Amino acid sequence: MNDWIDYGLILQARLGSSRLPGKVLMNIDGQEMLYRQIDRLQNGISSSIPIIIATSDHSSDDLIEAFCDKHGIKIFRGPLDDVMQRFILCATKFNIKNILRVGGDDPLIDPEVINTLIRRHKEQQDDFIFATHREGWPYGCAAELISLSSLKKIHPKTKDDLQREHTIPYFFENTTEFNITKLNSDRGMNRPDYFFSVDYKEDFELVSKIFKIFKDKGNYFSHKEFIEMVDDNTEMLSINK
């Protein structure tokens, strides 16, 4: 049996979005949105942290498996709607004790949030650490750390479709059951009114524009660089207002 590792990044992605179908594989200036996201993460976090795409076992996500094969990315396929169970099964297969949860609709995620989550967990050993809130990282730039043991406790307790699909609501609704930490941005980079997650075509247009502005740096521009660029060009935010 393989040894268990302390941390692994599990990126949930699917093609069946009701608001913008196929968005994770949409093309931004010659590269799939999902590839740009993974490239940013691989460049900014330790190579010892595995990155796994967790998609569904529905035929609609066969193209994500083809994408992973093309780029040599680890993949796990599990339940379509019970995403919590998908995370449990994926983490168990890859022997991951603590999940760094990332959404596939967040191509502008700050890799440093992953490093900060790990540092904080090593200090406090929390069950759940979240970074998307008004004092944290902008929406679409953050992630969460979730212990596998906590998900294994939660899953049998809830039959709520929303909690199982979105994984983390149970923590917010049952705060006394687990050790929970709200992670603040310590670099003055919190922008509670900025929205960079890709839910609609307008969000995709904004994110695409940002990547094109930093074309000379590829996918490796820093969180600070692009936030300060947006600060200086706030009219951009009208694209997805």
Side-chain angles (χ1 to χ4, degrees), residues 218-232:
N219 299 319
Y220 306 145
F221 51 91
S222 72
H223 182 73
K224 185 174 186 291
E225 283 177 308
F226 101 76
I227 290 295
E228 290 181 346
M229 183 278 293
V230 175
D231 287 344
D232 292 337

Side-chain angles (χ1 to χ4, degrees), residues 163-181:
Q163 290 179 347
R164 287 191 167 191
E165 180 182 358
H166 296 284
T167 309
I168 62 175
Y170 186 95
F171 289 103
F172 296 118
E173 296 166 18
N174 300 273
T175 56
T176 61
E177 290 187 31
F178 300 98
N179 294 319
I180 300 173
T181 291

Side-chain angles (χ1 to χ4, degrees), residues 51-66:
I51 297 176
I52 302 116
I53 300 292
T55 193
S56 85
D57 52 16
H58 191 272
S59 60
S60 61
D61 288 318
D62 288 350
L63 286 176
I64 291 184
E65 183 168 359

Side-chain angles (χ1 to χ4, degrees), residues 28-166:
I28 300 178
D29 205 23
Q31 293 180 336
E32 304 99 330
M33 187 176 84
L34 187 56
Y35 176 82
R36 287 185 178 272
Q37 180 181 22
I38 294 169
D39 196 31
R40 282 177 64 77
L41 288 165
Q42 289 176 331
N43 184 67
I45 67 174
S46 170
S47 59
S48 66
I49 306 296
I51 297 176
I52 302 116
I53 300 292
T55 193
S56 85
D57 52 16
H58 191 272
S59 60
S60 61
D61 288 318
D62 288 350
L63 286 176
I64 291 184
E65 183 168 359
F67 164 86
C68 290
D69 290 343
K70 172 185 172 182
H71 293 290
I73 298 165
K74 293 183 176 70
I75 185 171
F76 177 84
R77 302 189 69 168
L80 175 63
D81 297 319
D82 190 346
V83 182
M84 187 187 298
Q85 179 71 343
R86 193 193 310 169
F87 273 101
I88 292 170
L89 295 172
C90 179
T92 301
K93 177 179 178 179
F94 288 94
N95 300 301
I96 296 167
K97 294 180 184 177
N98 297 287
I99 298 162
L100 297 154
R101 174 182 178 263
V102 174
D105 46 9
D106 296 338
L108 287 171
I109 184 171
D110 179 12
E112 186 56 30
V113 74
I114 302 296
N115 300 325
T116 307
L117 286 166
I118 291 172
R119 286 195 297 269
R120 182 61 58 89
H121 184 263
K122 286 180 176 179
E123 294 170 0
Q124 300 182 186
Q125 298 294 306
D126 298 288
D127 299 302
F128 176 56
I129 310 174
F130 65 101
T132 301
H133 53 85
R134 294 191 69 82
E135 293 80 34
W137 273 253
Y139 198 91
C141 300
E144 298 92 34
L145 184 148
I146 313 169
S147 70
L148 174 60
S149 61
S150 65
L151 288 187
K152 286 183 172 180
K153 291 176 183 176
I154 292 170
H155 194 264
K157 290 183 178 182
T158 180
K159 303 298 181 185
D160 186 290
D161 291 341
L162 184 68
Q163 290 179 347
R164 287 191 167 191
E165 180 182 358
H166 296 284

